[in-house]
Amino acid sequence: MTQGWALLPAVVLYLAGGVREQLSIPETKNYIYGNIGHPVKIYVKMHQNSPLLTCMDMELSQTEIVDPISLWIGPNGKHLRGNLMITNFQAFLSGSYICTLTYKIISEETQKEQKIYNTYTFVVFGYREPNYVYQMTVRFTTESCTGKKNSQFFKLLMRILDKIISDLSCHIEEKSYKCHFLEIPKYGLKDELFIAFQVKPFPQEWKATCRKLSVDSEEITNSKVHQARDRIEEFFLKQTDILKHEFNYIPNIHYVDHSFKVIRIDSCQPGFGKNDILHSDCASCCVVCDPRTYSPDTDVTCQACLTVHDYGAKTCP
């Protein structure tokens, strides 16, 4: 279906004001009704279709109305009639969609007609899933914080983890370790390695996937990163057997039971950001940046920029 607005009155589908083909209304319960008192916020995933925006409120939809006419004005200023569905949603389609419903009330006694005008505002935002990165930490006891064996162990461990997830187009980054001595009740002093690293997708590979599929590929890459996270977690759950085999020439380094911890770190694509105050209905989403804001490649939030007038800005001119 062509990208843009799809208007769905009785049995005719209109695209951008013109008849494209004869269709019946889709069988769906995904209707969004207006509210005279305040704008209705709607979040549409990129490249997906919006719900059916209905130019009336819920109360009015339960009554008979005479000669109803719906007139929409969208962000591009075009006028369209009927109920509205936005197809193949893109960032520039974000904005206010204002509908005026005109209908008549006819007096049963006098048959006198009175025109009623109701205005409804729908504020539509495009959103994308955040990109996942997993921050992981783990601890090992060691015989001493001095010597080369800790460095050898760390490098070998990172190579093993990279190998475990290599077929998922993921890799290990931000890897580091430090050695500390701890005083543990009933056990006295012990030296321990504190190891930290991140699991990420290879940027060039998931971007190539996005271009090939011509869609946003967060779901694909997030699924792979999540699989990588599960594999690494399973690896550490089986540490006793695995380390005995892999590190038999590095004695006295042992996994600390239950020390493996994971935190998910979200990031957004350029032009999108997270704001759980403005977008509490979609708090975990990366929502398209509003006009007068922008988000470059490395940010998770949209920053102020008064010279930006469009949705989804990636730079501040």
Side-chain angles (χ1 to χ4, degrees):
M1 182 177 287
T2 304
Q3 164 190 307
W5 301 8
L7 289 171
L8 295 161
V11 292
V12 183
L13 173 65
Y14 292 84
L15 295 179
V19 178
R20 174 176 174 137
E21 56 183 322
Q22 298 290 321
L23 289 177
S24 59
I25 290 181
E27 293 183 6
T28 176
K29 295 182 180 179
N30 198 12
Y31 292 86
I32 302 293
Y33 292 93
N35 190 307
I36 295 179
H38 60 80
V40 176
K41 286 186 178 181
I42 300 165
Y43 297 89
V44 183
K45 194 169 185 178
M46 299 298 293
H47 301 296
Q48 303 296 314
N49 296 343
S50 77
L52 185 64
L53 311 187
T54 306
C55 190
M56 64 176 61
D57 52 80
M58 178 65 77
E59 183 179 355
L60 196 59
S61 72
Q62 306 302 312
T63 64
E64 293 183 348
I65 54 177
V66 179
D67 295 337
I69 298 174
S70 302
L71 179 64
W72 291 88
I73 301 177
N76 61 6
K78 289 187 177 180
H79 293 244
L80 298 168
R81 295 175 182 271
N83 294 324
L84 179 67
M85 178 184 288
I86 309 168
T87 63
N88 188 22
F89 199 91
Q90 303 290 320
F92 69 86
L93 293 170
S94 298
S96 294
Y97 291 79
I98 301 171
C99 178
T100 301
L101 173 65
T102 305
Y103 64 97
K104 296 175 183 177
I105 295 178
I106 302 176
S107 171
E108 292 183 1
E109 296 179 356
T110 64
Q111 293 299 299
K112 185 177 180 180
E113 299 179 0
Q114 178 186 2
K115 269 193 174 183
I116 305 295
Y117 299 89
N118 288 351
T119 300
Y120 306 95
T121 301
F122 300 82
V123 185
V124 184
F125 299 94
Y127 79 91
R128 303 169 74 161
E129 299 292 340
N131 293 312
Y132 296 169
V133 170
Y134 287 102
Q135 173 73 40
M136 303 183 178
T137 57
V138 65
R139 288 160 51 192
F140 290 84
T141 60
T142 182
E143 190 176 49
S144 171
C145 281
T146 61
K148 296 181 179 180
K149 65 182 179 184
N150 294 330
S151 175
Q152 293 173 342
F153 170 80
F154 173 72
K155 291 176 182 178
L156 181 56
L157 177 63
M158 292 300 106
R159 284 201 299 269
I160 291 171
L161 296 181
D162 257 328
K163 186 176 180 180
I164 288 173
I165 63 175
S166 61
D167 65 306
L168 297 172
S169 299
C170 296
H171 66 300
I172 307 295
E173 275 194 6
E174 307 291 333
K175 41 198 174 186
S176 64
Y177 80 95
K178 290 183 179 180
C179 193
H180 301 277
F181 63 90
L182 288 77
E183 185 168 356
I184 303 174
K186 299 182 181 179
Y187 292 96
L189 291 175
K190 279 194 174 183
D191 291 349
E192 285 195 6
L193 299 176
F194 288 65
I195 297 174
F197 56 94
Q198 290 185 355
V199 177
K200 297 181 178 181
F202 279 109
Q204 63 272 22
E205 294 191 21
W206 64 255
K207 286 181 180 178
T209 301
C210 292
R211 288 193 295 269
K212 184 178 179 181
L213 298 176
S214 298
V215 297
D216 296 316
S217 59
E218 287 92 346
E219 288 186 11
I220 298 171
T221 56
N222 287 346
S223 173
K224 291 190 174 186
V225 176
H226 189 76
Q227 289 179 59
R229 174 219 180 278
D230 289 345
R231 288 186 189 181
I232 291 174
E233 183 176 34
E234 183 180 6
F235 170 83
F236 284 111
L237 289 174
K238 298 178 178 177
Q239 273 306 290
T240 301
D241 294 334
I242 294 175
L243 290 182
K244 185 177 180 180
H245 172 72
E246 297 287 353
F247 306 130
N248 54 10
Y249 65 92
I250 305 179
N252 301 321
I253 294 181
H254 303 287
Y255 171 67
V256 177
D257 286 344
H258 310 297
S259 68
F260 177 69
K261 306 295 181 186
V262 182
I263 298 174
R264 197 184 86 189
I265 303 171
D266 291 349
S267 61
C268 296
Q269 292 290 323
F272 293 77
K274 295 176 69 175
N275 189 318
D276 57 1
I277 297 175
L278 291 177
H279 302 295
S280 58
D281 292 339
C282 201
S284 63
C285 302
C286 292
V287 181
V288 63
C289 292
D290 290 327
R292 298 193 175 186
T293 66
Y294 78 107
S295 179
D297 193 33
T298 57
D299 285 347
V300 184
T301 58
C302 298
Q303 304 178 30
C305 180
L306 298 181
T307 58
V308 169
H309 303 291
D310 299 320
Y311 283 88
K314 302 174 184 178
T315 59
C316 183

